Amino acid sequence: MPRYASFGRLDSQLIDDGDTAFAVLNQRLRPDQLKPGEVAVSQNGRMDVDGSWQTRKGYRNVFAAIANGAGALVLNDASPPVLPLTLNDAAAVAIYGTCLYSDQSVANTEYIVLATTSKAILVKTSNTSVSYSITYPAGQTVDSSCEVIQAFNYLFVFRDGKVAFQWDGSSLTGSPVFTLVDNGNYTQPLVYDTAGNTAIVNGVVTVTESGHNILVGDSVIVSDAGTTNLNPLTEYRVYAKTLTTFLFKADASDITGARITVGKRQSIGLGFTHMPAPPWATYHQRRLWMPFNYSMAGTSGTPTIVSRNVSDELIASDILDQNTYDQIDNQFKIASGSSDFIVGLHPFSEDALVVFARNSIHLIRGVGGDLQNSSVQEVTREVGAVARKSIIQIGNQILFLSDNGVYSVNFEDLYNLRGASVPMSEPINPIMARINKNYAAGAIGVYHDNRYYLAVPLDASTVNNAVIVFNLLNNGWESLDVINSIQWNIIGFVRSGAGTVNRLHTVSKEGGIHVIDEAGVNANDYVDNLCLSLSAGGTITQLSIDSVLTTRQYTYSTLDRKRFNSYELHIESAANIQSDANLSVEVENPDSSVVLGSVLSVFGKAVPSAEDVSIRSRIGNKRGYGAQFTVAPSQGRPKIRAVKITGALQNGSTSSAE
């Protein structure tokens, strides 16, 4: 705004305050305590490394909600994708688990797995109109939250207190079916020692035994080498088999007609057990690690599963063997108190596994080899994890949600969590306080595009209805993302990377798959295109993105009263769409709010696409201690580059203000 060339003794000189960059969100401090670059409110926004703030891109639905109704799964190989594809399946009324599945037989082919009531649906990430289904074993269903992972080239579905499902990764065409993992009483492995059962040619050992139960990938031990020069008590990995033979490689001399005694490892003490019906498992160092909450006995197919009334013990599978668990060598007691229980596990290095309990953290060292040499160390009892799926590793850091907020620690810092560390979520403590603690265990975290996304249930919500975003490049929180619908929920994040594009997907309980924060220049960037309908047809709902930026409070670094005279706003439109926004100023002591109108009303038109403008206008000499500037975009994805508020000190009044 115009200024006088000179000022008299009684004139109030105009002074400026503002920001030319926006970097992080801070709601812990008062607005007048914030530093340049910090903002008081950032809803549905992103802060770029160039210092600009911009409305986030829209959530784009790529797979419609699973709907009630007659009919069955339809496989559509159309190209380009048809959006959305709806699965009308009377049994598939909810999604209880999800993960990414990579087809090992086809390069750059990935699927998002949706675990429904009666089957798992695999949706191709590169063409979401292509879907397949894998039915569960006869008489088996999923009716509550489950864990779905890929390990050993198998796809597993873990059900708390029930026998897990497994699928061997064979062809998706036809009618693929899950099977139950081995269950019931564990039978001691057979030992094979038929006369003349062994021939060795060029380092390949062929053992001939009719009716053997050895599988490719199994480890076998030669307990008696006979006339061969095989090493007794050495484990060998089977790489091929037929109905009557199995083969492994060894550094041994050629021989035919030899007799050896060979078989899988035999148990000692308590013996082996089958997979103990875990609620979830973690894959690390070619083993499955899981809570040891149940005992497995009885008949295969109709096992007896009994709670052990223990919640702080782990058990690990044998290497590359999901069906064998040693109750002596592979069992770990995480002793930290009778009220504590294991929440989650996270591999930290090749040789270490971090165990997050509810009120403590532990470290298992030496998990890269023979587990007899492993050791358990308590790290701290001062903090634990609330939500298993919030535990994410980013580089050398592990992030997780605790009662005190989100922590970010590296390997050495694990030993510094004894009550002295400040959580990384301290700047957004008011938002963290809104998390519904009764349902916080369902919070989900993921790392994507240099950001940590944490889906949480806010306020009275029982589902994850909001996402808090941490920007690792700016080293600060940048947004609270919300969707303008009470139906919105997130049960899982899935990252895909097939081809050349990395994408982050959300999965809703109804089966909707959405791509978030994806680059592009089309109408889907500026609105949320969500599939929220549960009726047949999967109707897409288009919702506006309610984004808001509120700056820090500008006080000109003095407690004196001011008169706020004018403002200047630097704003830029995204490509291919013009921008508009509603503007206001909030003044404190005395309190008032000044509606400044819209960019359209002040500038005379919306900001043209791919153009930037500098808007100047008056505030009206509003009197107060400090002022904040609020931008609420109403069209497009405007980029806010700078804000300035001009005012003058007013020292004449001795009256109080509120």
Side-chain angles (χ1 to χ4, degrees):
M1 299 298 293
R3 302 191 181 208
Y4 296 111
S6 61
F7 294 88
R9 185 173 60 86
L10 299 179
D11 291 331
S12 297
Q13 293 194 33
L14 297 180
I15 52 178
D16 298 325
D17 203 348
D19 285 299
T20 58
F22 307 99
V24 297
L25 170 64
N26 189 332
Q27 291 193 339
R28 184 67 175 86
L29 300 176
R30 296 197 318 262
D32 62 331
Q33 295 175 324
L34 301 185
K35 301 175 182 178
E38 295 182 334
V39 302
V41 176
S42 177
Q43 178 174 296
N44 288 326
R46 296 292 181 266
M47 299 186 218
D48 207 344
V49 290
D50 67 358
S52 62
W53 181 96
Q54 188 175 25
T55 303
R56 65 167 173 81
K57 292 183 174 68
Y59 287 18
R60 180 167 59 89
N61 178 266
V62 295
F63 187 84
I66 292 176
N68 292 318
L73 175 66
V74 177
L75 175 60
N76 183 350
D77 286 301
S79 181
V82 178
L83 298 177
L85 174 67
T86 301
L87 306 182
N88 294 326
D89 184 352
V93 295
I95 304 300
Y96 296 107
T98 184
C99 77
L100 184 71
Y101 174 75
S102 299
D103 190 338
Q104 303 298 311
S105 64
V106 183
N108 287 325
T109 303
E110 296 177 331
Y111 299 87
I112 295 175
V113 181
L114 306 176
T116 73
T117 304
S118 62
K119 61 190 174 185
I121 300 167
L122 277 64
V123 181
K124 194 173 184 179
T125 59
S126 61
N127 183 352
T128 54
S129 66
V130 177
S131 302
Y132 301 89
S133 67
I134 310 173
T135 57
Y136 297 150
Q140 301 292 324
T141 61
V142 173
D143 56 10
S144 61
S145 179
C146 67
E147 177 76 358
V148 189
I149 68 170
Q150 182 178 4
F152 306 145
N153 291 332
Y154 281 81
L155 187 63
F156 293 96
V157 178
F158 299 103
R159 307 178 297 162
D160 189 12
K162 299 179 181 179
V163 180
F165 305 150
Q166 63 180 14
W167 177 64
D168 62 5
S170 58
S171 175
L172 282 168
T173 59
S175 302
V177 180
F178 280 95
T179 61
L180 296 174
V181 300
D182 287 358
N183 58 90
N185 284 321
Y186 191 96
T187 302
Q188 195 72 259
L190 297 176
V191 174
Y192 305 101
D193 60 356
T194 302
N197 65 350
T198 301
I200 304 175
V201 179
N202 296 327
V204 175
V205 182
T206 301
V207 179
T208 302
E209 292 282 355
S210 298
H212 70 82
N213 67 347
I214 304 298
L215 301 175
V216 172
D218 283 349
S219 291
V220 294
I221 297 177
V222 177
S223 55
D224 185 347
T227 57
T228 73
N229 61 348
L230 292 167
N231 292 325
L233 303 181
T234 298
E235 287 194 357
Y236 297 97
R237 182 75 58 198
V238 173
Y239 74 90
K241 79 174 189 72
T242 67
L243 292 176
T244 59
T245 64
F246 56 90
L247 287 70
F248 58 89
K249 296 180 179 180
D251 184 12
S253 303
D254 290 358
I255 193 171
T256 59
R259 176 179 182 172
I260 66 172
T261 302
V262 62
K264 295 182 182 180
R265 184 163 60 93
Q266 305 293 301
S267 68
I268 60 173
L270 293 175
F272 295 149
T273 182
H274 288 307
M275 185 185 294
W280 49 267
T282 297
Y283 180 69
H284 182 51
Q285 286 291 8
R286 300 175 296 165
R287 302 179 190 267
L288 286 175
W289 298 76
M290 61 193 64
F292 194 10
N293 298 344
Y294 302 94
S295 62
M296 175 67 70
T299 305
S300 177
T302 57
T304 301
I305 300 172
V306 179
S307 173
R308 300 176 65 239
N309 295 316
V310 174
S311 57
D312 63 347
E313 291 186 7
L314 295 173
I315 195 166
S317 73
D318 276 0
I319 292 177
L320 298 177
D321 184 355
Q322 68 268 31
N323 295 312
T324 303
Y325 298 78
D326 192 324
Q327 298 182 77
I328 295 295
D329 293 339
N330 294 6
Q331 181 181 352
F332 299 87
K333 178 76 172 178
I334 310 298
S336 60
S338 59
S339 64
D340 212 357
F341 59 90
I342 294 171
V343 172
L345 308 172
H346 198 83
F348 200 81
S349 66
E350 293 182 356
D351 200 45
L353 186 70
V354 182
V355 182
F356 291 88
R358 185 62 181 81
N359 301 307
S360 58
I361 299 175
H362 308 259
L363 193 65
I364 304 179
R365 294 180 181 271
V367 300
D370 190 340
L371 297 185
Q372 291 183 8
N373 301 319
S374 301
S375 62
V376 180
Q377 297 173 274
E378 182 179 277
V379 174
T380 179
R381 294 191 186 188
E382 301 296 330
V383 66
V386 170
R388 177 174 62 89
K389 292 185 178 181
S390 72
I391 305 168
I392 300 295
Q393 182 169 354
I394 304 175
N396 68 341
Q397 299 283 311
I398 291 182
L399 279 62
F400 63 96
L401 178 64
S402 75
D403 285 314
N404 300 327
V406 177
Y407 279 93
S408 173
V409 294
N410 60 36
F411 189 81
E412 292 77 15
D413 286 341
L414 284 172
Y415 293 95
N416 298 325
L417 286 175
R418 303 182 182 276
S421 264
V422 176
M424 64 180 283
S425 60
E426 184 65 14
I428 58 166
N429 195 55
I431 295 177
M432 303 303 295
R434 294 172 55 192
I435 295 177
N436 188 336
K437 295 187 181 300
N438 293 329
Y439 295 89
I444 304 167
V446 69
Y447 171 70
H448 176 72
D449 191 26
N450 295 307
R451 290 176 170 90
Y452 173 64
Y453 295 82
L454 181 65
V456 295
L458 282 191
D459 304 324
S461 178
T462 61
V463 296
N464 295 325
N465 63 335
V467 179
I468 310 170
V469 185
F470 185 87
N471 188 319
L472 278 89
L473 297 181
N474 293 349
N475 195 31
W477 299 93
E478 70 175 340
S479 180
L480 171 63
D481 288 359
V482 294
I483 298 292
N484 188 24
S485 173
I486 61 173
Q487 292 178 279
W488 175 248
N489 63 79
I490 298 174
I491 69 160
F493 285 116
V494 180
R495 292 183 59 194
S496 67
T500 59
V501 179
N502 293 320
R503 291 185 173 94
L504 177 61
H505 303 79
T506 68
V507 176
S508 67
K509 188 173 183 180
E510 291 75 31
I513 300 176
H514 311 85
V515 178
I516 74 171
D517 286 7
E518 185 181 54
V521 285
N522 54 60
N524 291 326
D525 286 344
Y526 312 111
V527 293
D528 286 325
N529 282 282
L530 304 177
C531 184
L532 299 172
S533 172
L534 303 185
S535 62
T539 304
I540 292 293
T541 302
Q542 190 175 91
L543 303 172
S544 61
I545 302 175
D546 296 333
S547 59
V548 178
L549 167 68
T550 299
T551 68
R552 63 189 175 96
Q553 191 173 85
Y554 303 124
T555 64
Y556 311 108
S557 301
T558 175
L559 291 175
D560 293 328
R561 210 74 51 79
K562 301 96 184 171
R563 287 194 180 276
F564 299 103
N565 173 267
S566 61
Y567 71 89
E568 183 170 348
L569 173 68
H570 290 205
I571 184 171
E572 179 182 346
S573 269
N576 292 348
I577 192 169
Q578 59 186 7
S579 297
D580 196 6
N582 295 316
L583 313 176
S584 64
V585 169
E586 293 73 44
V587 180
E588 180 180 290
N589 291 339
D591 298 342
S592 63
S593 180
V594 184
V595 176
L596 302 173
S598 65
V599 171
L600 173 64
S601 64
V602 176
F603 186 57
K605 62 179 181 180
V607 182
S609 62
E611 294 290 336
D612 62 285
V613 299
S614 174
I615 300 173
R616 296 179 178 181
S617 189
R618 295 188 180 278
I619 293 176
N621 288 321
K622 276 292 181 179
R623 184 169 170 265
Y625 157 66
Q628 295 174 269
F629 197 89
T630 294
V631 182
S634 58
Q635 182 182 6
R637 296 182 55 238
K639 181 181 291 187
I640 311 305
R641 295 164 48 184
V643 169
K644 180 180 72 174
I645 291 184
T646 300
L649 300 183
Q650 297 290 307
N651 297 316
S653 175
T654 59
S655 62
S656 301
E658 62 179 357

